[in-house]
Amino acid sequence: MRIKFDQMLGGLALALCATVASAQAAKPNVVILATGGTIAGAGASAINSATYAAAKVGVEKLIAGLPELAAVANDKGDQVFQVASESRSNDNLLTLATPVSAPSKQSDVDGIVIPHGTDTLEETAYFMTLTVHTNKPIEGG
């Protein structure tokens, strides 16, 4: 009886390893919808904050700045608009709703990331909760 139990346990371990390997091979598909803001800020030098300006870096450069991202997710980036947080308007939120809603309905999209400014985190989260109805994660920051 002991031999059969060990064989069964070994078979379960192999099946579990195969399942984990399969899950790790299938990276999630993430849509990145950039809007500008603090995260897209840049300056002439890292040590001189006086030259910093928000909303200067595009989505391609943001993604290129995170080479580790390719190891954990398949990403697709789109620049929805490029404004500083303090300049963002309700019209910008309305503009953002469609590009967030569309991929949230696609079966091949696992999540959505909205990089934007610090000053607009709460407004974006609240607006997306009201307008985009999905169980998929929508992350901002």
Side-chain angles (χ1 to χ4, degrees), residues 41-97:
S45 143
I47 59 171
N48 183 359
S49 63
T51 63
Y52 171 85
K56 298 296 178 191
V57 178
V59 68
E60 296 87 11
K61 193 169 182 181
L62 286 174
I63 293 170
L66 292 168
E68 301 86 357
L69 181 60
V72 295
N74 300 313
D75 62 81
K76 176 183 180 251
D78 189 22
Q79 191 73 47
V80 180
F81 48 83
Q82 185 84 358
V83 298
S85 297
E86 66 273 8
S87 300
R88 201 172 83 176
S89 67
N90 290 337
D91 287 339
N92 292 129
L93 279 176
L94 290 170
T95 299
L96 183 60

Side-chain angles (χ1 to χ4, degrees), residues 28-32 103 109-113 136-138:
N29 296 313
V30 178
V31 174
I32 302 168
V109 172
D110 299 302
I112 300 160
V113 177
K136 294 180 183 181
I138 300 173

Side-chain angles (χ1 to χ4, degrees), residues 27-43:
K27 296 186 286 187
N29 296 313
V30 178
V31 174
I32 302 168
L33 302 170
T35 63
T38 311
I39 197 167

